[in-house]
Amino acid sequence: MKKIRKIKLLLLVIIFISVNAISYKTENSVAETDKNSDEKNIGKKVKLPKIDLSHWKVTLPVTKEDGKPYEIDPPEILDFAKNEIAKPYMYIDSTKGAIVFHAMPTDSKTSNTKYTRSELREQMIPGNNNKNWTFADGAYMKGKIEMEEVSKDANGKYHIVIIMQIHGRLTNEQRDLIGQKDNNAPPILKIYWDQGRIRIKSKVLKNVNAAGNLLLLEDIWDNDEGYNFEQKVDFRKFTLEVKVSDGKMVIVLNGSEFKVYDSIHIKKWGIFENYFKAGNYFQSTDEGSYAKVNFYELEVSH
């Protein structure tokens, strides 16, 4: 009888130990899962865009006391996320890992335009607009972009946004030579998000025989007919590359579609200096209209 009791007691001890072992393993397994889940969530919260802003300044749709648009130059732009004025118009979406450029019609307009912008301007020397590049120097820009949101007009069409540009610039000597009040020259390249497609516009000479200082005059240049890429990007991520060399400009969409400019117009454009622009140059003055553009990556080289 005593032997039977000992056996029963031994069985109870074995069962107790087994239950506790299983419980301990289960609890630790859940804890480990929670830990892994937390680590994954933390990873999602700290996504950052792959963009070095040390050679860019930004213009925002905010008017300063002097009536001019609010701008942030480097190195201050590196802390744009802490700038209370910038926060509504240029901010980081850490769940996506993008800088969001938000623009809408305001009284804050740059010269020679009726539109507002939340847009970066390249500065080869941080804080200085006077050092720029020519086509002979060569230049390259690549961005990973996504249209986040954009309003529609009265006809139900999305408002148009310029997301990248190459802007011309007169040197001080060229400006004085033609008697112009500023250094502004036309943009040789505008890249649009237009109804979910990528559209490009460039400049052409009204008279291809024009030469010398005549090329510096804005009135000598006109807009071309434009070009639409076949791919429709809609509200998905896409990549754009702009490759510039002496007498040539190539735009690439998603690494698979190409548009090449190498005509006499581009060759004669070589008289100008240039700089890149990227962001949200909003093309509407409709009340209540707006757009938000995400930039995940942006790189420039020369």
Side-chain angles (χ1 to χ4, degrees), residues 71-250:
E71 297 181 340
I72 309 174
D73 288 271
E76 288 78 17
I77 194 174
L78 300 177
D79 291 323
F80 76 90
K82 299 177 183 178
N83 186 314
E84 293 299 324
I85 296 176
K87 280 181 179 179
Y89 313 105
M90 179 184 178
Y91 56 90
I92 294 176
D93 183 336
S94 59
T95 62
K96 289 189 170 186
I99 296 179
V100 183
F101 294 93
H102 182 200
M104 70 296 293
T106 67
D107 293 330
S108 175
K109 302 176 183 69
T110 55
S111 59
N112 306 312
T113 183
K114 61 181 179 179
Y115 301 120
T116 56
R117 67 189 75 203
S118 176
E119 186 183 34
L120 298 170
R121 192 268 199 214
E122 179 192 14
Q123 291 185 322
M124 295 183 75
I125 299 176
N128 186 337
N129 290 336
N130 291 318
K131 173 64 175 174
N132 301 282
W133 49 266
T134 65
F135 271 52
D137 295 326
Y140 175 77
M141 175 168 64
K142 181 179 181 179
K144 181 179 285 187
I145 311 165
E146 175 189 53
M147 180 60 69
E148 173 72 20
E149 297 178 35
V150 61
S151 53
K152 294 182 179 181
D153 63 20
N155 297 316
K157 289 189 173 183
Y158 289 114
H159 289 110
I160 298 169
V161 183
I162 296 175
I163 52 179
M164 280 185 171
Q165 298 188 72
I166 296 178
H167 215 292
R169 190 178 189 275
L170 298 170
T171 65
N172 292 341
E173 293 75 19
Q174 289 173 333
R175 176 200 64 199
D176 297 340
L177 188 63
I178 64 174
Q180 187 167 301
K181 64 180 181 179
D182 57 29
N183 298 86
N184 191 61
I188 187 62
L189 175 68
K190 291 181 178 180
I191 304 180
Y192 298 79
W193 186 95
D194 185 353
Q195 311 310 310
R197 294 189 183 276
I198 301 303
R199 178 169 172 78
I200 311 170
K201 297 201 76 173
S202 186
K203 293 290 183 183
V204 291
L205 286 163
K206 295 176 181 177
N207 177 6
V208 294
N209 295 317
N213 294 334
L214 279 177
L215 298 173
L216 300 174
L217 302 175
E218 186 168 353
D219 291 343
I220 204 88
W221 296 91
D222 202 356
N223 294 316
D224 70 356
E225 295 180 352
Y227 175 82
N228 293 326
F229 280 105
E230 291 185 9
Q231 297 177 58
K232 196 170 185 181
V233 300
D234 287 322
F235 293 85
R236 300 185 300 273
K237 292 179 187 177
F238 58 93
T239 60
L240 277 171
E241 295 173 83
V242 180
K243 304 175 183 181
V244 171
S245 56
D246 195 8
K248 189 175 182 179
M249 179 171 67
V250 182

Side-chain angles (χ1 to χ4, degrees), residues 205 208-210 215 221 247 262-270:
L205 286 163
V208 294
N209 295 317
L215 298 173
W221 296 91
D262 57 0
S263 66
I264 186 65
H265 309 286
I266 293 295
K267 289 177 172 62
K268 290 195 173 184
W269 185 264

